[in-house]
Structure formats: structure tokens, C-alpha cells
């Protein structure tokens, strides 16, 4: 998330509460050393003053909702100024106990619910400090074909790799879908996988405590015997560590694959090969990793039809290219339709702000794909929706006449248009409204020109 202006001064002010603590660690977390091999304890690295300060600043920048104790990010610094020594002591002597995460559910694009667990801000601080120390160790062993929740890697990089594989002749994909992956991670296996690279008992014990801290669902406490709830800074790293075992298997067998968190696609040259790979990989995932493959959503198909990270592939003279998947196009159009529903009764400025905020992010994400024609048609459709919205807002005959005259129509033409018996949608496409509420005038009022915005993003 981009920091607002003057954040450097604000960040320096925030660190005051942590700078006064004694320096527990003796080595920098960015030394690049393998702490398992040289004997440095992870406790020293996690509790290092600079590492804790950086963790604090990241938690503040990421903001987020309050956890079970109700403490907000803004209340974190006053708390640390008062309780930092007892927090450090609890972490050092292993009496620190994470609070249960607060369960929240957010809607998924397919209509389901995604379960998130919100840790307290104190627990987020500790998790962030742990993650910062652990990431360098695991970045050295993670697969080059893994892209999710990793530094300097993005969905764009994953899609570029997919295009590369297709152009190399891998025209079939094993599209794996894991059922409730984050809720089914086996704790004992996860700790075993971590121990391959980190043997410090202090951090292993702390990870176990976070994994088993439980979930508060409404007023009911639920034990967490398995799973790593989404929502905490440590969860994405633990999820990648667990599925790194799948990456190692696929790499050892010479498979072409792309994994983004729990979304994994394996690319093969024939459907028969894909079915064979799917059988073997399913056996490994369910037998060795104790996770469940969702048979209804897992398939062997063409990347031209399959959807991965919201993209599918197209093929032209220059080879394969990425494009927004059909479902992604339908969802964005549906979202714009809701924003421009003519009986919403909110100001035009608010509608324009909502559209701009939504479309700027959407275009930024999908700009790697080929979609010039789609965006041009979407622009035309959206402008018609806005003209319909404006026509509905004018309501009364006199208001319509006055506005049309101000926009350049004669009094007679304005009166005739204002008395039209056509429906709102037909009126929005009429020559009169396209002549008066021109594209340029709508832009001046604040409507985003998506074609220009896309061109600007792609040329940046």
C-alpha cells in the first residue's frame, strides 16, 4: 500500500516507543546468513530492535481491523510505550500466548464465503517480526515457479510464465483446486517442513502457539487443531512452506507448473499426460500432505478455456497472450451496473468517484492482458449508463428542458425531447443526449475514460 505524504516523519515518531528498548539481538536480519547452519538463534533475530521497529511500521501501514481485544492500530504505540518490557519478557521466556483470532467472512466472486481470521494488533506485530526473519531463509529454497505472497513477485509474473509455457508447446493444463486449503493444513506436517530449514526450538514453539490459538466465531470459541487462518502476516509464508513440498515434487519430475498460493496449474503437452499427472499429484496431496483436491473444480483442459488468477489465454500471430477471463469481465460489468443503477439516489460525483476507484485498480491488475476492444465497448456502455442516470436525476419536465437548453439545444427541441415517451435506456442512446452529454463533457464532469487510463498504465 502506498504511504501518504510525510510518512517518513510519522514513521520516525512511531518508532520512539520501540527505540528505547534494550537491543536484544546481535545480528541484522538482512545479513543473508543461514541461521540454521551458523547457530544464530532466531529469538535474537526476531527480537532485534531494528526488526521489531520495521514490523511495527509495517503493521501500521497495513492498517486493518481490530482483533478480539478491540485494540486498533492507532492504539498500538501507546500500548507499547507502557508494556514493551513485559511483552519482550513474555516472548523471551516463552510465556507469550497469542489471542484467538476473530472470525470474519467476506464474499467470494463465485458467491461463497471466504473465512478470515483477524489477529490482535499485538499478535500481528509479533507475527510480522517472525515473518521478516523467516522469509530470507525460505526464499532461498522456494521454487522459481511459485509467485504468491513473495517479495518482488506478482500475478503479472505468474501470467507471463503461463504464456511462456504455452508458447513452448504445453497446450494442456492440470488446473488444481484445493478444498478449503488454509483451513486444512496439518500442523504436525507444517512444523516438520519448517524444521528442514529452521531448527530453533523457540520460534518453532511460537509458531505452534499461533497455529493452535483458536478462533472466536461470534461468541463461541473454536479449537484450531489444523489450518492456518488467512488474515495474519505469518499465514501466507506458512502456506507457501507447506505447498513447497508439492513444488519440490513437481520440480523433481520435470513438470512445468505455476503456483500462486493455493492456485496451482501444471502444464503438459497432451490430455493423456495431464490425466496421468493429475492422478499422481492427487495421490501425493491427499496422501502425503493431507489436503483435499476438489474434484468438481479440478480439471485437465486447454489454457485457452481455463481461468487462472482471473486470466485466460488467447492465441494470435505472435503466439499466446493473456486476457481477462470471461468471468472477470462479467463481474466488473456487474459491479458497474450496480454503481450506475438509475434509482440509487446518490450524487453523480459520488458515482464517478466509486467508478474511478474501482476501475483504476481493475485496469492496473488486468493491464498485462489484451483487452483494448473490451474496454472500448465497456466505455461506450458505461457512458450510456451515465446518460440514463443523469436523465433519471433530472426527473421533472421543466428541469429537463432547462438542462437541455444549457447544453445547447433550442427551446423547441429541448421541450420535444423532454416530452419523449421512450424508456430511459433508449433515451440514453438517442442522438439528442449523445449530442448534448458528449463524451468530453462527461469526462469533464468526472467520468473516467477507461481506454485512455489503460493506455496510460500500459505505456508507463
Amino acid at each position: 500500500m502506498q504511504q501518504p505524504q510525510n510518512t517518513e516523519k510519522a514513521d520516525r515518531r512511531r518508532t520512539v516507543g520501540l527505540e528505547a528498548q534494550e537491543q536484544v539481538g546481535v545480528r541484522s536480519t538482512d545479513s543473508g546468513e543461514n541461521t540454521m547452519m551458523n547457530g544464530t538463534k532466531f529469538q535474537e533475530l526476531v527480537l532485534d530492535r531494528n526488526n521489531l521497529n520495521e514490523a511495527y511500521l509495517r503493521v501500521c501501514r497495513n492498517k486493518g481491523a481490530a482483533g478480539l481485544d478491540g485494540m486498533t492500530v492507532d492504539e498500538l504505540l501507546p500500548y507499547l510505550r507502557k508494556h514493551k518490557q513485559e511483552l519482550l519478557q513474555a516472548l523471551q521466556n516463552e510465556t507469550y500466548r497469542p489471542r484467538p483470532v476473530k472470525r470474519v467472512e467476506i464474499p467470494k466472486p463465485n458467491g461463497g464465503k471466504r473465512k478470515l481470521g483477524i489477529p490482535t494488533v499485538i499478535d500481528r506485530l509479533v507475527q510480522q517480526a517472525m515473518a521478516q526473519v523467516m522469509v530470507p531463509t525460505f526464499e532461498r529454497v522456494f521454487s522459481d515457479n511459485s509467485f504468491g505472497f513473495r517479495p518482488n513477485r506478482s500475478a503479472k509474473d505468474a501470467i507471463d510464465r503461463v504464456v511462456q509455457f504455452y508458447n513452448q508447446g504445453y497446450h494442456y493444463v492440470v488446473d488444481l483446486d484445493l478444498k478449503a486449503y488454509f483451513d486444512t493444513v496439518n500442523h504436525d506436517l507444517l512444523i516438520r517442513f519448517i524444521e528442514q530449514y529452521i531448527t530453533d526450538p523457540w520460534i518453532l514453539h511460537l509458531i505452534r502457539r499461533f497455529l493452535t490459538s483458536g478462533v472466536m466465531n461470534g461468541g463461541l470459541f473454536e479449537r484450531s487443531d489444523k489450518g492456518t487462518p488467512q488474515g495474519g502476516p505469518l499465514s501466507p509464508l506458512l502456506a507457501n512452506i507447506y505447498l513447497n513440498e508439492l513444488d519440490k515434487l513437481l520440480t523433481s519430475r520435470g513438470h512445468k507448473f505455476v503456483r500462486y498460493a493455493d492456485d496451482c496449474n501444471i502444464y503438459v503437452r497432451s490430455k493423456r499426460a495431464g490425466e496421468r499427472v493429475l492422478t499422481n499429484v492427487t495421490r501425493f496431496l491427499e496422501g502425503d500432505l493431507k489436503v483435499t483436491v476438489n474434484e468438481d473444480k479440478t480439471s485437465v483442459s486447454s489454457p485457452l478455456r481455463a481461468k487462472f488468477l482471473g486470466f485466460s489465454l488467447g492465441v494470435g500471430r505472435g503466439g499466446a497472450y493473456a486476457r481477462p477471463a470471461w468471468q472477470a469481465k462479467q463481474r466488473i460489468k456487474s459491479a458497474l451496473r450496480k454503481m450506475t443503477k438509475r434509482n440509487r439516489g446518490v450524487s453523480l460525483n459520488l458515482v464517478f468517484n466509486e467508478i474511478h476507484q474501482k476501475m483504476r485498480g481493475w485496469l492496473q491488475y488486468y493491464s498485462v492482458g489484451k483487452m483494448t476492444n473490451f474496454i472500448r465497448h465497456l466505455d461506450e456502455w458505461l457512458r450510456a449508463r451515465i446518460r440514463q442516470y443523469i436523465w433519471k436525476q433530472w426527473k421533472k419536465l421543466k428541469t429537463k428542458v432547462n438542462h437541455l437548453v444549457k447544453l445547447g439545444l433550442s427551446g423547441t427541441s429541448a421541450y420535444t425531447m423532454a416530452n419523449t415517451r421512450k424508456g430511459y435506456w433508449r433515451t440514453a442512446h438517442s442522438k439528442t443526449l449523445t449530442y448534448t452529454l458528449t463524451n468530453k463533457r462527461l469526462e469533464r464532469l468526472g467520468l473516467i475514460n477507461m481506454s485512455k487510463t489503460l493506455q496510460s498504465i500500459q505505456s508507463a
Side-chain angles (χ1 to χ4, degrees):
M1 181 179 295
Q2 188 176 2
Q3 297 186 55
Q5 294 179 347
N6 300 324
T7 50
E8 291 185 5
K9 292 182 180 179
D11 287 350
R12 283 197 294 271
R13 287 197 299 269
R14 290 189 186 109
T15 59
V16 171
L18 292 177
E19 288 289 351
Q21 75 178 59
E22 297 180 2
Q23 186 170 349
V24 181
V26 296
R27 303 196 183 193
S28 170
T29 58
D30 60 3
S31 62
E33 297 173 338
N34 188 322
T35 54
M36 182 187 70
M37 298 179 69
N38 68 24
T40 302
K41 292 184 179 180
F42 269 77
Q43 179 182 353
E44 297 172 352
L45 298 171
V46 171
L47 301 184
D48 174 78
R49 179 184 61 186
N50 294 331
N51 184 58
L52 287 172
N53 283 337
E54 176 61 25
Y56 168 78
L57 294 177
R58 289 194 181 187
V59 169
C60 289
R61 286 195 294 266
N62 291 337
K63 300 184 185 297
L68 196 61
D69 61 358
M71 184 187 300
T72 65
V73 171
D74 293 334
E75 297 170 321
L76 179 56
L77 183 55
Y79 176 89
L80 292 173
R81 284 174 172 161
K82 186 177 181 179
H83 300 283
K84 64 177 181 292
Q85 290 302 333
E86 59 187 88
L87 173 62
L88 290 170
Q89 186 175 1
L91 288 166
Q92 288 171 332
N93 60 26
E94 301 188 36
T95 59
Y96 178 82
R97 290 192 175 276
R99 299 286 298 272
V101 298
K102 183 169 69 173
R103 170 72 75 210
V104 295
E105 294 183 346
I106 60 173
K108 296 170 69 173
N110 60 7
K113 297 285 186 179
R114 186 185 304 279
K115 296 180 180 179
L116 297 182
I118 302 178
T120 66
V121 290
I122 299 296
D123 288 341
R124 295 210 292 269
L125 171 68
V126 177
Q127 286 191 34
Q128 182 64 47
M130 294 166 65
Q132 289 169 182
V133 170
M134 293 171 65
V135 162
T137 296
F138 286 99
E139 277 299 305
R140 291 193 285 270
V141 298
F142 281 161
S143 169
D144 185 50
N145 291 319
S146 167
F147 295 90
F149 305 113
R150 294 182 60 189
N152 303 316
R153 286 172 171 253
S154 65
K156 177 184 181 301
D157 299 319
I159 296 302
D160 287 344
R161 188 67 55 85
V162 170
V163 172
Q164 176 185 330
F165 287 155
Y166 189 91
N167 288 334
Q168 291 174 357
Y170 296 89
H171 293 174
Y172 286 87
V173 60
V174 181
D175 186 2
L176 285 174
D177 185 89
L178 301 180
K179 185 180 295 184
Y181 166 67
F182 286 90
D183 297 327
T184 56
V185 168
N186 184 285
H187 292 172
D188 293 331
L189 287 176
L190 175 58
I191 296 297
R192 188 191 309 169
F193 298 151
I194 297 172
E195 283 179 317
Q196 296 177 58
Y197 310 99
I198 296 176
T199 57
D200 189 316
W202 177 84
I203 199 167
L204 293 173
H205 181 255
L206 190 52
I207 290 171
R208 175 78 75 168
R209 282 199 166 172
F210 272 111
L211 290 172
T212 58
S213 61
V215 176
M216 189 63 75
N217 194 351
L220 298 177
F221 173 78
E222 299 176 359
R223 293 175 55 87
S224 49
D225 298 322
K226 59 183 179 179
T228 169
Q230 300 180 74
L234 195 57
S235 181
L237 175 61
L238 298 181
N240 270 334
I241 292 171
Y242 201 82
L243 285 181
N244 188 52
E245 300 303 307
L246 171 63
D247 298 347
K248 285 156 52 174
L249 174 74
L250 296 175
T251 301
S252 68
R253 296 183 178 180
H255 291 308
K256 307 290 185 182
F257 69 97
V258 176
R259 185 175 65 79
Y260 195 97
D262 59 329
D263 289 331
C264 184
N265 279 2
I266 308 167
Y267 296 87
V268 294
R269 295 185 183 273
S270 68
K271 188 170 184 177
R272 183 177 179 183
E275 291 170 347
R276 183 175 64 251
V277 169
L278 176 57
T279 299
N280 294 333
V281 169
T282 299
R283 185 182 303 119
F284 173 78
L285 287 169
E286 297 188 338
D288 293 47
L289 295 189
K290 312 300 181 185
V291 294
T292 303
V293 175
N294 189 337
E295 295 182 1
D296 295 334
K297 296 182 179 180
T298 297
S299 63
V300 179
S301 61
S302 167
L304 304 181
R305 293 190 297 272
K307 177 172 68 74
F308 183 57
L309 302 180
F311 290 88
S312 57
L313 296 187
V315 179
R317 293 180 180 178
Y321 57 85
R323 60 184 179 182
W326 178 85
Q327 297 92 328
K329 294 177 181 178
Q330 293 301 112
R331 282 199 297 269
I332 193 61
K333 195 168 184 179
S334 177
L336 292 174
R337 183 178 284 109
K338 289 180 180 179
M339 292 179 193
T340 57
K341 192 174 180 181
R342 65 175 185 257
N343 60 356
R344 279 190 69 188
V346 299
S347 71
L348 198 60
N349 285 336
L350 178 59
V351 173
F352 285 162
N353 288 336
E354 289 178 354
I355 293 172
H356 189 277
Q357 184 177 8
K358 180 74 173 181
M359 290 310 304
R360 183 76 195 186
W362 194 90
L363 291 170
Q364 191 76 47
Y365 180 80
Y366 285 101
S367 61
V368 63
K370 186 176 180 180
M371 55 174 176
T372 304
N373 289 337
F374 169 71
I375 293 300
R376 188 180 71 250
H377 291 307
L378 192 63
D379 260 331
E380 295 172 357
W381 174 83
L382 180 59
R383 284 191 287 262
R385 295 281 300 181
I386 294 300
R387 291 186 182 107
Q388 175 184 243
Y389 193 90
I390 293 173
W391 189 249
K392 172 69 174 179
Q393 277 196 328
W394 288 347
K395 293 183 180 178
K396 296 181 180 180
L397 176 66
K398 185 177 179 180
T399 306
K400 292 176 181 178
V401 171
N402 289 339
H403 279 293
L404 290 172
V405 170
K406 288 179 182 179
L407 291 172
L409 281 188
S410 66
T412 303
S413 298
Y415 186 81
T416 302
M417 181 64 189
N419 276 287
T420 182
R421 300 183 62 139
K422 294 179 181 178
Y424 288 106
W425 189 238
R426 285 191 64 190
T427 303
H429 289 83
S430 67
K431 290 182 179 179
T432 302
L433 279 197
T434 54
Y435 169 77
T436 52
L437 294 172
T438 62
N439 298 350
K440 289 184 178 179
R441 181 168 273 118
L442 292 178
E443 282 186 55
R444 286 198 298 269
L445 289 173
L447 179 62
I448 185 174
N449 185 315
M450 293 181 284
S451 297
K452 289 182 181 178
T453 304
L454 175 62
Q455 187 177 12
S456 173
I457 293 172
Q458 290 177 335
S459 61

